[in-house]
Amino acid sequence: MGKFTVIPQATFEEMQLDAGVLLRKFDPANPAEPADEDIICATTGGITITCTPTYSDMGSDVDNVPNNMMEFKHLDGWECSIAFTALGTSKESIRFALGAADINADTGAIKPRADLKQTDFSDISWVGDRADGGMVAAVLKNGLSTSGLSLKTTKNGKGQISVTITGHVSIKKQKEVPMEFYSADASTEPEAA
């Protein structure tokens, strides 16, 4: 075996295992086991978390400047999202997938709206287990479903709703990227009482 055919010794401990869970409430400083009412829904097929920067090359139209010169690179912004396939079809799950919608308290109808309200945005978190007993988390700020409702049914199968939640920058915190990440091993997490 060659001297460069190695991996870091903490590789297994730092691995993220299983699909994790989507939560309405999550405190990264105290990552406790979630309450049932905080779990957004059951999922299938895993969860995709993306936080992708977009850049402009300010030197692209300048004579004699090579492409991607680092001094001319400009960070335009970030596209942050959490995409998943939901199995839940509760009223709240359907409203959440629609984004701009209300649940009629009298009839139970979930009605899409022609306008967007600030209350349609909410923080959501994905939290997953690490092999060492710790956790990995992604917190999406000001999330809103931007994919709408797409329900797929199959013979002898389960109905599945495809959902993409996109994070948004707030006018109150214009420099804050709408996603943050956490990783903690079991020894740095608070112990259960």
Side-chain angles (χ1 to χ4, degrees):
M1 185 156 111
K3 63 182 176 180
F4 295 110
T5 309
V6 294
I7 60 172
Q9 292 182 17
T11 296
F12 178 75
E13 289 83 4
E14 294 173 352
M15 283 185 184
Q16 190 278 314
L17 305 176
D18 296 318
V21 64
L22 294 167
L23 301 174
R24 289 181 185 87
K25 294 180 185 175
F26 172 67
D27 180 3
N30 185 24
E33 187 174 329
D36 192 62
E37 63 270 12
D38 292 335
I39 300 172
I40 292 173
C41 63
T43 61
T44 186
I47 297 165
T48 302
I49 298 159
T50 58
C51 190
T52 308
T54 54
Y55 295 103
S56 293
D57 184 351
M58 304 306 282
S60 64
D61 62 346
V62 178
D63 293 341
N64 302 323
V65 172
N67 288 341
N68 293 318
M69 183 174 281
M70 69 180 189
E71 290 82 2
F72 283 86
K73 200 72 152 186
H74 180 264
L75 177 60
D76 299 324
W78 292 84
E79 293 292 326
C80 303
S81 66
I82 298 177
F84 55 94
T85 302
L87 295 176
T89 56
S90 69
K91 293 174 192 171
E92 180 53 31
S93 293
I94 293 171
R95 188 212 60 78
F96 183 72
L98 287 167
D102 295 308
I103 300 170
N104 184 301
D106 297 327
T107 65
I110 304 113
K111 296 183 177 185
R113 250 186 281 108
D115 59 331
L116 190 60
K117 296 179 180 178
Q118 294 300 294
T119 54
D120 292 327
F121 296 86
S122 64
D123 294 354
I124 71 164
S125 300
W126 166 84
V127 185
D129 293 311
R130 279 181 32 155
D132 64 0
M135 64 89 192
V136 180
V139 178
L140 186 70
K141 303 288 188 170
N142 308 311
L144 177 73
S145 174
T146 53
S147 60
L149 180 74
S150 175
L151 173 63
K152 181 179 180 183
T153 64
T154 57
K155 181 179 179 180
N156 301 324
K158 300 177 281 292
Q160 300 180 3
I161 299 175
S162 298
V163 182
T164 299
I165 307 298
T166 302
H168 293 80
V169 175
S170 169
I171 198 167
K172 297 173 184 173
K173 296 181 180 178
Q174 296 180 34
K175 297 286 187 182
E176 184 177 273
V177 175
M179 186 174 266
E180 55 193 30
F181 298 88
Y182 298 88
S183 181
D185 61 37
S187 66
T188 59
E189 287 191 15
E191 291 186 17

